[in-house]
Short mmCIF file of all heavy atoms in Angstrom, two decimals:
data_model
loop_
_atom_site.label_atom_id
_atom_site.label_comp_id
_atom_site.label_asym_id
_atom_site.label_seq_id
_atom_site.Cartn_x
_atom_site.Cartn_y
_atom_site.Cartn_z
N ARG E 12 -155.12 -63.23 -3.78
CA ARG E 12 -154.78 -61.87 -4.22
C ARG E 12 -155.96 -60.92 -4.03
O ARG E 12 -155.79 -59.78 -3.59
CB ARG E 12 -154.36 -61.88 -5.69
CG ARG E 12 -153.02 -62.55 -5.92
CD ARG E 12 -152.69 -62.58 -7.41
NE ARG E 12 -151.47 -63.35 -7.65
CZ ARG E 12 -150.96 -63.57 -8.87
NH1 ARG E 12 -151.58 -63.09 -9.94
NH2 ARG E 12 -149.85 -64.27 -8.99
N LEU E 14 -158.39 -61.26 -1.85
CA LEU E 14 -158.59 -61.05 -0.42
C LEU E 14 -157.56 -60.09 0.13
O LEU E 14 -157.87 -59.23 0.96
CB LEU E 14 -158.50 -62.37 0.34
CG LEU E 14 -159.69 -63.31 0.23
CD1 LEU E 14 -159.41 -64.59 1.00
CD2 LEU E 14 -160.94 -62.62 0.78
N HIS E 29 -172.33 -69.52 10.49
CA HIS E 29 -173.68 -69.97 10.19
C HIS E 29 -173.78 -71.48 10.24
O HIS E 29 -174.85 -72.03 10.47
CB HIS E 29 -174.12 -69.47 8.81
CG HIS E 29 -174.04 -67.98 8.69
ND1 HIS E 29 -175.01 -67.14 9.19
CD2 HIS E 29 -173.08 -67.17 8.19
CE1 HIS E 29 -174.67 -65.88 8.95
NE2 HIS E 29 -173.50 -65.87 8.35
N VAL E 33 -168.00 -75.68 9.55
CA VAL E 33 -166.96 -75.01 8.77
C VAL E 33 -165.69 -74.80 9.59
O VAL E 33 -164.60 -74.72 9.02
CB VAL E 33 -167.48 -73.67 8.18
CG1 VAL E 33 -167.62 -72.60 9.26
CG2 VAL E 33 -166.55 -73.17 7.08
N ARG E 44 -163.25 -66.07 19.12
CA ARG E 44 -162.42 -65.37 20.12
C ARG E 44 -161.01 -65.10 19.57
O ARG E 44 -160.43 -64.05 19.80
CB ARG E 44 -162.33 -66.21 21.39
CG ARG E 44 -161.72 -65.46 22.55
CD ARG E 44 -161.53 -66.35 23.78
NE ARG E 44 -162.63 -67.29 23.95
CZ ARG E 44 -162.47 -68.58 24.23
NH1 ARG E 44 -161.26 -69.10 24.34
NH2 ARG E 44 -163.52 -69.37 24.36
N LEU E 64 -152.23 -63.79 7.62
CA LEU E 64 -151.42 -63.51 8.81
C LEU E 64 -152.13 -62.46 9.65
O LEU E 64 -152.58 -61.45 9.12
CB LEU E 64 -150.05 -62.98 8.41
CG LEU E 64 -149.00 -64.00 8.03
CD1 LEU E 64 -147.73 -63.29 7.58
CD2 LEU E 64 -148.70 -64.91 9.23
N GLY E 68 -149.73 -62.69 15.47
CA GLY E 68 -148.91 -63.84 15.11
C GLY E 68 -149.71 -65.06 14.73
O GLY E 68 -149.14 -66.06 14.28
N VAL E 72 -156.55 -69.68 8.41
CA VAL E 72 -156.33 -70.47 7.20
C VAL E 72 -157.64 -71.08 6.71
O VAL E 72 -158.50 -71.44 7.51
CB VAL E 72 -155.27 -71.59 7.41
CG1 VAL E 72 -153.97 -70.99 7.91
CG2 VAL E 72 -155.78 -72.66 8.36
N SER E 85 -170.53 -55.11 0.08
CA SER E 85 -170.97 -54.05 0.98
C SER E 85 -171.73 -54.65 2.16
O SER E 85 -172.25 -55.76 2.07
CB SER E 85 -171.84 -53.06 0.23
OG SER E 85 -172.88 -53.78 -0.39
N PHE E 99 -168.10 -62.20 7.91
CA PHE E 99 -167.15 -61.39 8.67
C PHE E 99 -167.35 -59.91 8.31
O PHE E 99 -167.29 -59.56 7.13
CB PHE E 99 -165.72 -61.77 8.29
CG PHE E 99 -165.46 -63.24 8.38
CD1 PHE E 99 -165.78 -64.08 7.31
CD2 PHE E 99 -164.92 -63.80 9.53
CE1 PHE E 99 -165.56 -65.44 7.38
CE2 PHE E 99 -164.70 -65.17 9.61
CZ PHE E 99 -165.02 -66.00 8.53
N VAL E 100 -167.57 -59.08 9.33
CA VAL E 100 -167.60 -57.64 9.09
C VAL E 100 -166.17 -57.15 9.28
O VAL E 100 -165.55 -57.39 10.32
CB VAL E 100 -168.54 -56.93 10.07
CG1 VAL E 100 -168.45 -55.41 9.88
CG2 VAL E 100 -169.97 -57.42 9.87
N ASN E 103 -163.14 -51.30 6.73
CA ASN E 103 -162.58 -51.01 5.41
C ASN E 103 -162.23 -49.52 5.34
O ASN E 103 -162.76 -48.77 4.53
CB ASN E 103 -163.65 -51.38 4.37
CG ASN E 103 -163.14 -51.24 2.97
OD1 ASN E 103 -161.93 -51.19 2.75
ND2 ASN E 103 -164.04 -51.17 2.01
N ASP E 114 -170.31 -72.29 0.74
CA ASP E 114 -169.76 -73.61 0.44
C ASP E 114 -170.87 -74.62 0.23
O ASP E 114 -171.36 -75.24 1.16
CB ASP E 114 -168.85 -74.05 1.60
CG ASP E 114 -168.08 -75.31 1.26
OD1 ASP E 114 -168.12 -75.75 0.09
OD2 ASP E 114 -167.43 -75.87 2.17
N LEU E 124 -154.96 -70.68 13.63
CA LEU E 124 -153.88 -71.51 14.15
C LEU E 124 -152.75 -70.65 14.70
O LEU E 124 -152.59 -69.49 14.29
CB LEU E 124 -153.31 -72.39 13.03
CG LEU E 124 -154.30 -73.26 12.27
CD1 LEU E 124 -153.57 -74.00 11.15
CD2 LEU E 124 -155.00 -74.25 13.20
N TRP E 129 -149.59 -74.25 12.30
CA TRP E 129 -149.48 -74.06 10.85
C TRP E 129 -148.24 -74.74 10.31
O TRP E 129 -148.26 -75.35 9.23
CB TRP E 129 -149.48 -72.57 10.49
CG TRP E 129 -149.13 -72.36 9.06
CD1 TRP E 129 -148.00 -71.78 8.56
CD2 TRP E 129 -149.89 -72.78 7.91
NE1 TRP E 129 -148.01 -71.80 7.19
CE2 TRP E 129 -149.15 -72.42 6.76
CE3 TRP E 129 -151.10 -73.45 7.74
CZ2 TRP E 129 -149.59 -72.69 5.46
CZ3 TRP E 129 -151.55 -73.72 6.45
CH2 TRP E 129 -150.79 -73.34 5.33
N ILE E 132 -148.85 -78.32 9.40
CA ILE E 132 -149.57 -78.50 8.13
C ILE E 132 -148.63 -78.21 6.96
O ILE E 132 -148.55 -78.99 6.01
CB ILE E 132 -150.80 -77.57 8.09
CG1 ILE E 132 -151.84 -78.04 9.10
CG2 ILE E 132 -151.40 -77.53 6.67
CD1 ILE E 132 -153.00 -77.09 9.30
N LEU E 136 -146.98 -80.53 3.42
CA LEU E 136 -147.22 -80.18 2.02
C LEU E 136 -145.91 -80.20 1.25
O LEU E 136 -144.88 -79.76 1.74
CB LEU E 136 -147.84 -78.79 1.93
CG LEU E 136 -149.25 -78.65 2.53
CD1 LEU E 136 -149.63 -77.18 2.66
CD2 LEU E 136 -150.26 -79.40 1.69
N ALA E 151 -137.46 -85.22 -10.67
CA ALA E 151 -137.03 -86.60 -10.94
C ALA E 151 -136.79 -87.37 -9.65
O ALA E 151 -137.18 -88.54 -9.52
CB ALA E 151 -135.76 -86.58 -11.80
N SER E 157 -141.89 -94.49 -7.51
CA SER E 157 -143.34 -94.56 -7.36
C SER E 157 -143.97 -95.38 -8.47
O SER E 157 -143.69 -95.17 -9.65
CB SER E 157 -143.95 -93.15 -7.35
OG SER E 157 -145.36 -93.26 -7.39
N LEU E 166 -151.65 -85.64 -8.01
CA LEU E 166 -152.70 -85.21 -7.08
C LEU E 166 -152.27 -85.35 -5.62
O LEU E 166 -152.93 -84.84 -4.73
CB LEU E 166 -153.98 -86.04 -7.29
CG LEU E 166 -154.66 -85.89 -8.65
CD1 LEU E 166 -155.92 -86.74 -8.70
CD2 LEU E 166 -154.98 -84.44 -8.94
N ARG E 191 -151.56 -92.81 -17.34
CA ARG E 191 -151.46 -94.09 -16.63
C ARG E 191 -150.03 -94.52 -16.37
O ARG E 191 -149.80 -95.48 -15.63
CB ARG E 191 -152.17 -95.19 -17.44
CG ARG E 191 -153.65 -94.92 -17.65
CD ARG E 191 -154.24 -95.83 -18.70
NE ARG E 191 -153.67 -95.54 -20.02
CZ ARG E 191 -154.14 -96.06 -21.16
NH1 ARG E 191 -155.17 -96.88 -21.13
NH2 ARG E 191 -153.56 -95.75 -22.30
N VAL E 217 -152.96 -69.14 -13.78
CA VAL E 217 -152.94 -67.99 -12.86
C VAL E 217 -153.18 -66.71 -13.67
O VAL E 217 -153.99 -65.86 -13.28
CB VAL E 217 -151.60 -67.91 -12.09
CG1 VAL E 217 -151.49 -66.57 -11.34
CG2 VAL E 217 -151.47 -69.07 -11.11
N GLY E 221 -157.75 -68.60 -13.26
CA GLY E 221 -158.39 -69.86 -12.91
C GLY E 221 -159.35 -70.39 -13.96
O GLY E 221 -159.50 -69.84 -15.05
N SER E 267 -161.86 -89.03 -12.98
CA SER E 267 -161.71 -88.97 -14.43
C SER E 267 -160.34 -88.46 -14.84
O SER E 267 -159.80 -87.52 -14.24
CB SER E 267 -162.75 -88.02 -15.02
OG SER E 267 -164.04 -88.55 -14.88
#
Side-chain angles (χ1 to χ4, degrees):
Chain E
R12 290 178 186 178
L14 284 178
H29 303 280
V33 72
R44 191 185 322 135
L64 278 176
V72 304
S85 54
F99 309 84
V100 175
N103 185 18
D114 189 8
L124 305 177
W129 170 248
I132 291 171
L136 294 167
S157 172
L166 296 182
R191 299 167 294 190
V217 170
S267 292

